[in-house]
Amino acid sequence: MAATQIATYKNYIGGRWIESVTGRTYQVHNPARKDQIVGEFQTSGADDALQAVAAAKEGLAVWAGTPAPARAAVIYKALEILGRRADEMAQTITIEEGKPIGDAQGEVKRSMNIMEYAAGEGRRMFGYTTPSELPNTAAYTIRRPLGVVGIITPWNFPLAIPAWKIAPALICGNALVFKPASATPLSAVKLTEIYEEAGLPAGVLNLVTGPGAQVGNALVESPDVKGISFTGSTEIGTEIYGESAKRLKKVQAEMGGKNAVIVLSDADMDKALGGIVQGAFGSTGQRCTATSRVIVEEEVYDQFMAELIDRTSKLKIGDGINPEIDVSPLASQSQKDKVLEYIGIGTEEGANLAYGGRELTGGDYDQGYYVEPTIFTGVSTGMRIAQEEIFGPVLTVFKAKDLKEAIEISNSVEFGLSSSVYTKDITKAYEYINTVATGMVHVNASTLGGEVHLPFGGLNSSGVGQREQGTAAVDFFSEVITVYIDHAAEATERARFI
Ligand code: UN1
């Protein structure tokens, strides 16, 4: 692979693949094989972003006027093409992001699911009709696109997150400028190719790769961009929300998590352990819905810990392209540095390193960014490892005397994305559902994921604006217009208070 020629990928603006006006490019490499170059991509700047916005304005004129069922036909076609390219797309995800191939295949499937769901929305896109106070008057709502929308996506789901923003945005008739994470642009290029092949009109989807500080900022600042759909860190999301608020721009920001699982003494231990190990160490913990805290009721704590460590020790670590692998490398050097730094912080704070904690080196490990699955016990809520999002394979464990205390610990963080309880007691499960401070709540299932026809998102520092996916996505990507029609044959006296 290293000997083959490196492909250069371009931006896609106004229906043409073009180079950045900066004249600069950068390389992306495989996090499991540092010497394998995934490709060369445009290092775009603000001028490219603005050119894309101008192209999107032209695309909008065509797309907003296309009936939603006809827009759906393009998305269905793209879905078919993605299905045909599914294996290639899964490999692309693994090669550029590093996640195990099984997870990458799941990601492709989720992308297909959202495209199917969004396309179906083309024959719904409901408004509502309600009686007017006045005779001979019709009153109802319709939906119109927001306009030009900026789509800013992270590296940890290089295909699915773009897919679940782009498909709902398209069905609602918007034109888009898509800025994928600098670390994972190849899945984005391929998704754009798929929409091009599906027949999306020029200018409706524009792709600009490069640094967020230039491209992302230009989108946030442009008065022609009416909305931003962002997924990434709470720090950047907060900045985007603030800057957008000044310009009265609609924002949907999906940000960090510090998701907790509560294990009560009556839990099915096998189920709980399976969900926790997958939640904490699957995708190397690099998911905003990853499990980063476990709170165990004291009666079952010792048994639980022994089994957790046993299961964790059996995980196979290596290059995710090998289907036998459970835990693959972190996505980058900076991710590895950050995770190791937090492991150091946990130790300094006095938590007990119960398992793992080391960087893996030697042999193939030297080719990637490997850190062992790591478990800290004796963690208290004041510690940084109990509060901050680590975004890696690090699990913190707490002991609680009962459900009430467990929920207090669960709610003691600024984040509020996902959470889970394992119990067979329906009363306790409901108490948990009604009091835990997260946007997504699971009972007897891991904190991970979500289905595309249900809203996805969190409370507090985890998210702001309307949820992604489900009908919430249509609410975000459309404006509701209220219509009143007086259809009386002649002038009638109108009520004074209207
Ligand atoms: C998932 O964990 O299944 O950035 C989806 C993220 C989330 C999406 C996660 N916004 O990890």
Side-chain angles (χ1 to χ4, degrees), residues 110 154 156-157 161 164 231-232 254-255 286-290 391 417 448-450 456 468:
R110 262 169 107 170
N156 67 330
F157 281 86
I161 293 178
W164 77 50
T231 298
E254 288 306 330
M255 305 179 284
Q286 299 175 118
R287 291 167 84 144
C288 61
T289 60
F391 222 62
L417 187 60
L448 297 175
F456 181 100
E468 295 182 290

Side-chain angles (χ1 to χ4, degrees), residues 130-430:
T130 186
S132 167
E133 296 176 1
L134 302 173
N136 298 311
T137 298
Y140 63 97
T141 68
I142 57 170
R143 290 182 186 274
R144 280 203 213 133
L146 277 183
V148 175
V149 177
I151 304 287
I152 304 176
T153 57
W155 49 261
N156 67 330
F157 281 86
L159 183 67
I161 293 178
W164 77 50
K165 293 179 186 296
I166 290 172
L170 289 179
I171 197 66
C172 293
N174 300 284
L176 312 176
V177 179
F178 169 27
K179 198 224 82 76
S182 318
T184 54
L186 187 54
S187 303
V189 166
K190 292 187 176 187
L191 182 62
T192 305
E193 283 171 6
I194 286 169
Y195 275 111
E196 179 186 37
E197 188 186 336
L200 195 66
V204 178
L205 174 62
N206 303 278
L207 171 76
V208 181
T209 61
Q214 277 78 45
V215 181
N217 281 3
L219 297 178
V220 171
E221 285 164 18
S222 165
D224 291 326
V225 174
K226 300 300 178 197
I228 301 280
S229 180
F230 167 83
T231 298
S233 70
T234 299
E235 187 192 343
I236 305 285
T238 306
E239 219 172 282
I240 289 177
Y241 186 47
E243 289 304 310
S244 299
K246 284 186 213 161
R247 297 163 173 87
L248 302 179
K249 196 168 288 196
K250 207 168 169 187
V251 171
Q252 171 187 65
E254 288 306 330
M255 305 179 284
K258 191 72 189 172
N259 313 302
V261 173
I262 295 176
V263 181
L264 295 182
S265 51
D266 71 331
D268 178 324
M269 276 299 154
D270 191 45
K271 238 182 177 185
L273 286 156
I276 290 163
V277 170
Q278 176 64 23
F281 306 125
S283 301
T284 327
Q286 299 175 118
R287 291 167 84 144
C288 61
T289 60
T291 305
S292 63
R293 299 180 293 151
V294 182
I295 307 157
V296 188
E297 217 171 10
E298 54 195 12
E299 291 106 291
V300 289
Y301 181 86
D302 291 341
Q303 177 208 347
F304 172 83
M305 277 312 301
E307 291 189 29
L308 176 66
I309 288 177
D310 181 54
R311 287 202 189 203
T312 305
S313 69
K314 294 192 174 121
L315 295 171
K316 292 195 199 68
I317 306 169
D319 183 345
I321 206 77
N322 172 357
E324 308 279 289
I325 290 302
D326 302 304
V327 181
S328 56
L330 289 154
S332 63
Q333 177 74 41
S334 60
Q335 272 294 107
K336 186 183 85 176
D337 293 346
K338 183 177 160 205
V339 169
L340 290 173
E341 191 189 333
Y342 271 109
I343 293 171
I345 290 170
T347 311
E348 276 162 36
E349 286 178 314
N352 169 45
L353 185 57
Y355 186 83
R358 289 169 310 172
E359 175 179 2
L360 290 170
T361 54
D364 282 353
Y365 290 141
D366 287 337
Q367 282 298 308
Y369 309 110
Y370 291 96
V371 176
E372 284 179 302
T374 298
I375 302 172
F376 279 108
T377 54
V379 182
S380 58
T381 54
M383 292 179 184
R384 285 183 61 193
I385 57 164
Q387 292 292 329
E388 297 173 20
E389 184 178 47
I390 300 172
F391 222 62
V394 180
L395 184 63
T396 55
V397 186
F398 301 73
K399 205 186 271 186
K401 63 175 188 306
D402 55 18
L403 177 63
K404 186 169 174 291
E405 189 186 23
I407 293 175
E408 272 164 26
I409 296 171
S410 184
N411 289 351
S412 70
V413 295
E414 64 167 289
F415 297 105
L417 187 60
S418 180
S419 62
S420 160
V421 70
Y422 283 87
T423 181
K424 294 185 193 121
D425 183 328
I426 190 89
T427 305
K428 288 183 175 165
Y430 268 91

